[in-house]
Structure formats: structure tokens, C-alpha cells
């Protein structure tokens, strides 16, 4: 059968295709309902500028549904006049590597198939992220426009009668008038890392007495980490654990934190077998950094990278500035101030860093949720953070714990923790949130955990580059000694609601720098539970995840 463009009519559009912080994320089952994936892709192809005659990048984290989605997107892209579609062997492409491919090939954007760290498989989640020509998540103006189209969609265009795409080998094939290029998804990314980091120094470190463990969590970073750490840098075979991407991530929850990457955490925190450990999430944009008996919280990680950036060749000339999301601790702010760098506080979500990076105002940015990145791409980048740390370790030749201790001795320590209450009833979460929101004006001047509430607000952000205003980004209680508590509802969960409680307290270099964070934050934890009635309203004795 010759390839023909089909116009499929829809009897009713899908009402629930609102992309959140990280694209459209739903259960795999939902994505398998007829026309669901197609409708979202159609809406995206109608909104993205430059589709006809343009280049589009497509790939994903290998989860269940990845290959099918690539086939559908290719046939729809061809029907919409895309000239060139770039995808990867096996369709495996990490989010950071996708960002790089988009930029490197002058593409109009990309479609990244991932639900990030959410579990995969037929019973798990699937997701579609639409990135723009700068390689980053599309701004709200585009996602809003896509959503608007989904609501009135009456049909879509797709090519039919085409053979299956051959994804197993690099090479080129035609899909009607569109060229499909299958490239090695790892190669270009590895070349980029070699430009940024001192591979000779890191190789020397890893070939010496410096055993490390990397956990790919059966997700997308396996092939990248194996080629880089074991291949190019000479770490022993077996350094990369769970390195083969599986459709259901081996039944795990590919989120690199102390709860879901507990095997690695136990190896590093409960034994002396390894000097350094790291893990990345499903699509490879998150990272967790561990030292021997030392957990590096992500806010501190951003601060350490900022303070030591010039040790890496890609950043040897210094930084333009740094940015962190609002819930991230102010550890990086203190370093930025010391270095005389501009420092920005943005709402949660990577897209807010994009404008600052594009405008050259910042070089590094990060979030408390295990996301760190730089101007090399427009997504956070898990393996990049791991290599940055290894570069610093190779140059400083000190244990991770000592680097942290020296950092706090110089800049002071931001005790920090995030408590997540996952999959709680939506009404309970929204009720709790709304109540605190309404109480806020009366809270200023009140006592809280032995301090006084100086400011109580709902975080809003005016983008310094384009002047756009984003409000309703999280309830903040800022205390008179610089401590704070923030409440936020997650925008990425797919079951019920998730309440996030962010706790932070600063101790200057002269103070007690070696407490357990949960103990150091104990009075804030008790006080916010009293104020927001977290335990009673969620019906949970303790958080699902404590970071
Ligand atoms: C979470 C994180 C946020 C991150 C996002 C995408 O969003 O908290 O920092 O940008 O995932 O990885 P949330 O579920 O809190 O809306
Ligand atoms: Zn991710």
C-alpha cells in the first residue's frame, strides 16, 4: 500500500490534555486509548513554529510505549510536512541528550517521550514533552496554545500504509517526503561532555584507588554512563549498575533520592566500599550525589559546583550568574554573593531557567529536586552533574565529606529538607493549602518555632528577560532569622495530590555545622505541622519521602 495522508475525524476532543510542569504526563493506559497520543501530537504540531520543512528530534527514555509513540509521531510529522526527523537507535534518548541534538541540528524542537522519574510499564506512566528550538521545555505561551487546540480538536493528519521504522541501526530512511535519520543517541552527548570536563584528570582518578558506583536505575542513562565511565574513563566493569534500559525500569521507581535509590544509598552511607556514588532518573535529567558516608543535598550541590566551577575546563573563565528555583535553599546565593555573581530565584520547573540562559545572564542553575544544569543545553542534566563532581574531585583530591565540610566552614550551612506527602486525597491537599493561604495575611508578626514570621506570601515571579508574570508558585513563610518553610502542591504527580513541605534554616560558619538535618529542622517541622494540620488533614503519620 502506498503511503497516504489520512485525515482522521474525532467525535470529541480529549478534555484532559493539559501539559503540566513537564509536558503531558498520564498513565500508559490513558495513552493507549484510541487517538489520545495522536491528539496531543496533532495539537503540538499545529502550534510549534516551523513544522513544515523543519527538522524535529524524537526519542525517549525507553519506557513501555516508547517505540510505538516514535512510529506515530514520525507518521504524523511526515503528514505535517516535517522535512527531517532525527531519532536514535532503539529510540533511546535522554532528555539532556535530546536538548543537545535539537540545538546541534538547528531543529525546530523535539518530542521527548518520558514521564521522567515516574514508574513505567503497562501499569505505569507515560509522558510527552514538547521542547522548542532552544532545546528547552516550551514556554507557557506555547503549552497554553497547545492545550487550547486540544480542547476543540476535530481530527488529525497521519501517514498510513508505511512500513515500520527501522530503529535498530544508525542510518537514513524515507517516510514519504520526510527523511528519517536514526543516529547513535549517545555519541553527540559524549563529545559535548568531553569539551566541558577534564577527561584525563577524571580518568586518572578513576583508574587509581577511587572506586565509584553509578546507578542507572534500569533507565536511560545506562548506555551513556557505561560508554563514558567504563569506556572512556576506565572505571572497572560493573561500576554502572542497572545499566540496561528496561520498559518498566525493572519494576522500580527511577527517582534518584534516598528512598527510591536506597540500594545505592546504603552502599555509600552504610559501608566504606565506595568513594563516590551517583544515580540518575528515568530520562536522565536528575542526579543524586553521594560521597563515602555523605549525602550531598541538591541545593548544596549547586552551591559547591558554583564555588568550584572554574576547576572544569568548560567553566574555567568563570560564570555569568546562577539561578535556583524558589524552593531550593539559598546555599548558592551565598556563594554567588561572595563571587560577585548575579543570582536569580525562579518558580519551580526548568523552563524558567531557559530565558536566563538564552539571555546569557546565568551559566549554572539548579533545583532542590535533584536537578542541576548549565548553559551547555536547556534541560537539567544528570550525568553532567556527575562528571562535574568527578572533575572537582579529580582536581581537589579530597573526600566528598571534606569538600562539604570546607564549604560550610567558608559559607555557612543551609540545613534543608523536603517532606513529600504523596498520593493524598485531592480535596485534603487543596483544603490544607487553601486554608494556609487564607491565614497568611494574619501570620506576619506571629511567633513560629521560636522565631517571628517576617513575610507570608504566595511566590510570584516576573521574568527579568521578557517581563512575564507567573504567580501562585508556593506558600512561603519567611522567618526573621532567615529560616523558612514553603508549602507547594506538585504539578507532576499522576495519582491524587502530592504536598511538598520545604524546610530551611541557615547556620553561619561560627555555628554548629554538623547536626543531622532532621534534628536541626525539628522545631520548624513541628511548627508547620501545627499550623497547617498536615498529619490530621492528610491522614499520614509521616511523609512518603524525606529528602
Ligand atoms: C517536580 C520537582 C520540580 C521539577 C519537576 C520536573 O515538580 O519538584 O523541581 O522541575 O518535578 O522534574 P513538582 O512535582 O514539584 O511540580
Ligand atoms: Zn527526569
Amino acid at each position: 500500500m502506498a503511503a497516504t495522508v489520512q485525515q482522521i475525524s474525532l467525535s470529541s476532543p480529549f478534555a484532559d490534555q493539559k501539559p503540566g510542569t513537564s509536558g503531558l504526563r498520564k498513565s500508559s493506559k490513558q495513552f493507549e486509548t484510541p487517538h489520545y497520543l495522536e491528539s496531543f501530537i496533532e495539537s503540538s504540531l499545529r502550534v510549534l513554529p516551523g513544522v513544515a520543512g523543519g527538522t524535529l528530534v524524537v526519542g525517549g527514555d525507553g519506557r513501555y510505549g516508547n517505540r510505538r509513540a516514535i512510529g506515530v509521531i514520525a507518521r504524523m510529522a511526515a503528514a505535517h510536512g516535517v522535512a527531517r526527523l532525527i531519532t536514535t537507535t532503539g529510540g533511546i534518548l535522554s532528555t539532556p541528550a535530546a536538548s543537545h541534538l535539537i540545538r546541534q541540528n538547528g531543529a525546530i524542537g523535539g518530542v521527548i517521550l518520558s514521564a521522567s522519574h515516574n514508574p513505567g510499564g503497562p501499569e505505569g506512566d507515560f509522558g510527552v514533552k514538547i521542547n522548542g528550538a532552544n532545546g528547552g521545555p516550551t514556554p507557557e505561551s506555547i503549552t497554553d496554545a497547545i492545550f487550547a487546540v486540544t480542547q476543540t480538536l476535530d481530527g488529525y493528519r497521519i501517514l498510513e500504509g508505511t512500513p515500520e521504522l527501522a530503529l535498530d541501526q544508525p542510518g537514513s530512511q524515507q517516510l514519504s517526503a520526510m527523511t528519517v535519520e536514526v543516529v547513535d543517541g549517545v555519541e553527540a552527548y559524549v563529545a559535548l561532555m568531553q569539551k566541558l570536563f577534564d577527561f584525563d584528570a577524571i580518568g586518572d582518578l578513576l583508574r587509581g584507588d577511587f572506586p565509584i558506583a553509578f546507578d542507572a536505575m534500569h533507565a536511560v542513562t545506562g548506555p551513556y554512563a557505561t560508554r563514558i565511565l567504563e569506556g572512556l574513563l576506565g572505571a572497572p566493569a560493573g561500576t554502572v549498575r542497572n545499566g540496561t534500559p528496561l520498559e518498566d525500569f525493572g519494576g522500580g521507581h527511577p527517582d534518584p533520592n534516598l528512598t527510591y535509590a536506597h540500594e545505592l544509598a546504603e552502599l555509600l552511607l552504610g559501608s566504606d566500599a565506595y568513594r563516590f556514588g551517583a544515580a540518575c532518573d528515568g530520562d536522565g535529567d536528575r542526579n543524586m550525589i553521594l560521597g563515602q558516608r555523605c549525602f550531598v543535598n541538591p541545593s548544596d550541590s549547586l552551591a559547591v559546583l558554583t564555588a568550584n566551577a572554574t576547576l572544569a575546563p568548560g567553566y574555567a573563565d568563570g560564570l555569568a550568574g546562577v539561578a535556583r528555583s524558589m524552593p531550593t535553599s539559598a546555599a548558592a546565593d551565598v556563594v554567588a554573593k561572595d563571587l560577585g555573581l548575579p543570582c536569580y530565584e525562579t518558580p519551580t520547573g526548568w523552563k524558567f531557567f531557559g530565558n536566563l540562559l538564552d539571555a546569557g545572564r546565568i551559566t549554572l542553575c539548579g533545583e532542590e529536586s535533584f536537578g542541576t544544569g548549565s548553559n551547555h543545553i536547556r534541560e537539567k542534566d544528570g550525568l553532567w552533574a556527575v562528571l562535574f563532581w568527578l572533575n572537582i574531585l579529580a582536581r581537589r583530591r579530597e573526600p566528598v565529606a571534606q569538600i562539604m565540610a570546607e564549604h560550610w566552614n567558608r559559607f555557612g550551612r543551609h540545613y534543608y529538607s523536603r517532606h513529600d506527602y504523596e498520593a493524598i486525597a485531592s480535596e485534603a491537599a487543596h483544603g490544607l493549602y487553601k486554608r494556609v493561604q487564607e491565614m497568611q495575611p494574619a501570620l506576619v508578626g506571629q511567633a513560629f518555632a521560636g522565631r517571628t514570621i517576617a513575610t507570608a506570601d504566595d511566590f510570584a515571579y516576573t521574568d527579568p528577560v521578557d517581563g512575564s508574570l507567573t504567580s501562585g508558585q508556593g506558600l512561603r513563610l519567611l522567618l526573621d532569622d532567615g529560616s523558612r518553610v514553603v508549602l507547594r502542591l506538585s504539578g507532576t504527580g499522576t495519582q491524587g495530590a502530592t504536598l511538598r513541605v520545604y524546610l530551611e534554616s541557615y547556620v553561619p560558619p561560627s555555628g554548629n555545622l554538623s547536626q543531622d538535618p532532621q534534628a536541626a529542622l525539628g522545631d520548624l517541622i513541628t511548627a508547620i505541622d501545627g499550623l497547617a494540620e498536615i498529619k490530621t488533614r492528610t491522614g499520614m503519620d509521616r511523609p512518603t519521602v524525606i529528602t
Side-chain angles (χ1 to χ4, degrees):
M1 182 168 140
T4 49
V5 174
Q6 296 288 323
Q7 171 68 46
I8 313 284
S9 304
L10 295 172
S11 49
S12 58
F14 294 97
D16 64 343
Q17 295 205 316
K18 191 165 178 57
T21 333
S22 317
L24 182 67
R25 202 178 281 190
K26 298 280 175 189
S27 66
S28 300
K29 285 214 162 67
Q30 172 87 72
F31 269 101
E32 283 176 325
T33 55
H35 314 306
Y36 189 83
L37 170 68
E38 290 83 347
S39 294
F40 190 70
I41 298 301
E42 173 73 23
S43 307
S44 305
L45 290 174
R46 286 195 195 173
V47 168
L48 260 189
V51 165
T55 297
L56 192 67
V57 171
V58 181
D61 62 12
R63 70 179 62 221
Y64 173 80
N66 197 51
R67 275 192 182 231
R68 175 184 89 90
I70 292 173
V72 167
I73 292 162
R75 292 190 291 128
M76 292 187 68
H80 283 263
V82 168
R84 179 173 166 234
L85 185 101
I86 301 175
T87 186
T88 55
T89 39
I92 297 285
L93 183 61
S94 76
T95 291
S99 183
H100 180 51
L101 273 189
I102 294 169
R103 295 165 67 77
Q104 197 187 31
N105 289 283
I108 60 154
V111 185
I112 304 173
L113 305 165
S114 172
S116 189
H117 49 282
N118 291 25
E123 306 301 323
D125 288 337
F126 193 75
V128 179
K129 300 194 283 184
I130 307 293
N131 282 28
N134 73 346
T138 40
E140 241 149 9
S141 54
I142 300 266
T143 44
D144 287 351
I146 294 174
F147 179 54
V149 176
T150 64
Q151 294 204 295
T152 55
L153 199 67
D154 57 3
Y156 59 87
R157 287 159 67 76
I158 189 164
L159 212 62
E160 294 207 328
T162 58
E164 283 252 319
L165 284 183
L167 291 181
D168 291 329
Q169 304 291 335
S172 193
Q173 53 203 295
Q174 282 303 123
L175 206 55
S176 191
M178 183 177 82
T179 305
V180 179
E181 280 171 32
V182 178
V183 302
D184 175 325
V186 178
E187 215 166 72
Y189 179 81
V190 171
L192 178 63
M193 293 302 112
Q194 284 174 305
K195 271 196 245 158
L196 297 175
F197 301 116
D198 187 341
F199 271 48
D200 290 337
I202 303 173
D204 279 350
L205 178 77
L206 298 189
R207 279 187 282 263
D209 180 22
F210 197 83
I212 69 167
F214 178 86
D215 193 344
M217 306 191 85
H218 293 298
V220 80
T221 52
Y224 295 84
T226 306
R227 195 160 328 161
I228 294 174
L229 298 175
E230 297 182 11
L232 291 164
L233 294 169
T239 295
V240 176
R241 296 157 176 266
N242 305 319
T244 305
L246 300 177
E247 285 204 329
D248 65 349
F249 308 122
H253 192 146
D255 199 2
N257 60 38
L258 295 171
T259 303
Y260 296 123
H262 60 94
E263 268 174 40
L264 182 80
E266 277 152 31
L267 278 180
L268 269 293
L269 304 179
S271 86
D272 294 310
Y274 296 98
R275 306 276 178 277
F276 177 84
C280 290
D281 74 329
D283 63 330
D285 58 358
R286 293 186 174 191
N287 73 91
M288 175 169 74
I289 302 294
L290 298 160
Q292 190 176 342
R293 300 192 184 269
C294 172
F295 165 70
V296 180
N297 90 47
S299 300
D300 277 345
S301 178
L302 176 64
V304 169
L305 297 186
T306 304
N308 293 275
T310 53
L311 296 179
Y315 307 93
D317 294 340
L319 308 174
V322 293
R324 61 163 173 90
S325 66
M326 179 274 284
T328 305
S329 94
D333 303 33
V334 177
V335 177
K337 191 165 178 222
D338 185 80
L339 298 176
L341 298 174
C343 182
Y344 300 85
E345 183 181 34
T346 60
T348 297
W350 207 259
K351 61 187 170 199
F352 296 99
F353 296 136
N355 273 355
L356 298 170
L357 291 164
D358 285 347
R361 293 198 187 210
I362 58 166
T363 310
L364 300 186
C365 45
E367 295 194 272
E368 48 64 42
S369 52
F370 298 88
T372 336
S374 89
N375 61 351
H376 68 295
I377 52 168
R378 294 295 180 271
E379 289 276 5
K380 55 195 174 224
D381 190 343
L383 265 175
W384 167 90
V386 173
L387 291 169
F388 209 150
W389 265 94
L390 288 173
N391 194 138
I392 292 168
L393 292 167
R395 293 287 306 278
R396 287 187 52 169
R397 298 275 168 170
E398 290 168 306
V400 174
Q402 193 176 330
I403 289 181
M404 291 317 305
E406 287 172 16
H407 187 90
W408 295 327
N409 274 323
R410 180 171 165 203
F411 298 106
R413 179 169 182 183
H414 290 77
Y415 283 104
Y416 186 83
S417 184
R418 183 175 107 180
H419 290 193
D420 294 333
Y421 297 82
E422 294 181 344
I424 51 182
S426 185
E427 312 79 72
H430 287 98
L432 180 158
Y433 195 82
K434 196 154 177 278
R435 190 172 143 271
V436 175
Q437 198 169 32
E438 283 164 4
M439 283 162 69
Q440 273 196 333
L443 290 176
V444 178
Q446 299 282 313
F448 185 88
R451 294 98 154 167
T452 304
I453 299 177
T455 307
D457 66 3
D458 195 347
F459 182 64
Y461 175 69
T462 303
D463 188 303
V465 181
D466 65 18
S468 60
L469 175 73
T470 307
S471 46
Q473 293 299 307
L475 305 180
R476 307 194 294 180
L477 300 182
L478 309 179
L479 310 182
D480 57 347
D481 70 340
S483 313
R484 63 175 191 161
V485 179
V486 176
L487 300 181
R488 246 191 94 246
L489 295 177
S490 157
T492 61
T494 53
Q495 280 163 25
T498 293
L499 172 71
R500 306 201 193 284
V501 183
Y502 306 86
L503 306 136
E504 176 178 345
S505 153
Y506 176 67
V507 172
S510 57
N512 182 352
L513 301 173
S514 54
Q515 298 174 68
D516 167 61
Q518 300 309 315
L521 297 165
D523 50 357
L524 293 179
I525 294 169
T526 309
I528 192 62
D529 183 47
L531 184 87
E533 301 174 350
I534 296 173
K535 290 199 178 91
T536 46
R537 285 171 175 264
T538 62
M540 292 170 75
D541 272 353
R542 67 182 77 82
T544 326
V545 178
I546 295 183
T547 300

